[in-house]
Amino acid sequence: MSEQSRIEKATMADAPLIQDLVSSFASLGEMLPRPLAEIYEQLRDFLVVRDKGRLVACAALHIMWEDLAEIRSLAVLDEWRDKGVGALLAEACLDEARALGIVTVFALTRQPSFFERLGFHQADMMALPRKVWGECFRCPKFPNCDETAVIIELKARPRA
Ligand SMILES: CC(C)(COP(=O)(O)OP(=O)(O)OC[C@H]1O[C@@H](n2cnc3c(N)ncnc32)[C@H](O)[C@@H]1OP(=O)(O)O)[C@@H](O)C(=O)NCCC(=O)NCCS
């Protein structure tokens, strides 16, 4: 990343840009689309990377339960790929999970090897019942999901 680009919390003005970025990959079948209303509702989950004011990448850490969170909507503009931005965003989500005391983070993805490089391992989707019966069952693709579940266990921080 250049000196003028950095990870920041998303703001309301980012929501349509996040939707456009995610939609550009969703139209290729690389990830699921996100309705704008859902992005607004969950805006506080989102981190973005801006370069000279332009949004070039996003990711969200969504809390599912006291010990479980999901990295979703991780997307990097094509011309910004392979520069370490995706890994930085995923690590930032994991840092946030650690700070919150969340011990398990997962993602549903068509790019499992990207996450495996970061220490995630592949898992059976059914090991995530809160996700499957809380959200996935509403997906038009359910139960024929074409994504792979990847999980990482984080070390719990000692209580103060
Ligand atoms: C997958 C994605 C987020 C990766 O972002 P990126 O910024 O290009 O990735 P990085 O440059 O941080 O790559 C980190 C490492 O993962 C590797 N990598 C990148 N994309 C990869 C992929 N699709 N599969 C396997 N490894 C990958 C890189 O080579 C790099 O390896 P290194 O540390 O040995 O050099 C990006 O390609 C993207 O937005 N894809 C479309 C949306 C998507 O599939 N999101 C996935 C989550 S739902």
Side-chain angles (χ1 to χ4, degrees):
M1 291 211 301
S2 75
E3 280 175 17
Q4 287 162 297
S5 55
R6 57 193 166 139
I7 296 180
E8 295 169 11
K9 293 296 282 182
T11 66
M12 281 300 169
D14 293 322
L17 305 172
I18 291 170
Q19 191 193 32
D20 285 349
L21 181 56
V22 170
S23 297
S24 68
F25 294 116
S27 62
L28 303 173
E30 293 187 35
M31 60 201 304
L32 290 176
R34 299 290 302 269
L36 193 53
E38 199 177 282
I39 296 173
Y40 282 130
E41 275 174 18
Q42 298 171 13
L43 193 77
R44 281 176 292 186
D45 289 354
F46 276 91
L47 296 173
V48 295
V49 173
R50 263 184 268 274
D51 181 67
K52 297 173 197 149
R54 179 188 181 210
L55 189 147
V56 299
C58 65
L61 180 80
H62 185 69
I63 298 171
M64 304 290 297
W65 199 246
E66 65 167 337
D67 55 355
L68 185 67
E70 176 182 10
I71 294 179
R72 23 170 98 166
S73 301
L74 171 60
V76 179
L77 269 184
D78 274 342
E79 64 260 41
W80 275 80
R81 284 198 195 185
D82 297 324
K83 298 183 194 305
V85 175
L88 269 178
L89 272 171
E91 292 288 2
C93 289
L94 295 180
D95 283 347
E96 197 173 356
R98 282 189 198 95
L100 288 164
I102 291 168
V103 291
T104 305
V105 176
F106 73 95
L108 302 185
T109 181
R110 297 184 71 180
Q111 307 294 341
S113 12
F114 167 79
F115 287 94
E116 284 172 317
R117 283 166 184 264
L118 299 173
F120 287 73
H121 59 88
Q122 293 191 27
D124 183 350
M125 195 88 70
M126 289 302 167
L128 298 164
R130 287 189 194 286
K131 173 70 181 175
V132 172
W133 302 118
E135 293 182 356
C136 291
F137 77 100
R138 292 197 198 94
C139 175
K141 293 185 179 172
F142 185 80
N144 301 311
C145 180
D146 57 5
E147 297 189 312
T148 301
V150 289
I151 289 186
I152 188 168
E153 305 293 341
L154 304 174
K155 285 204 176 118
R157 281 195 179 168
R159 284 176 193 272

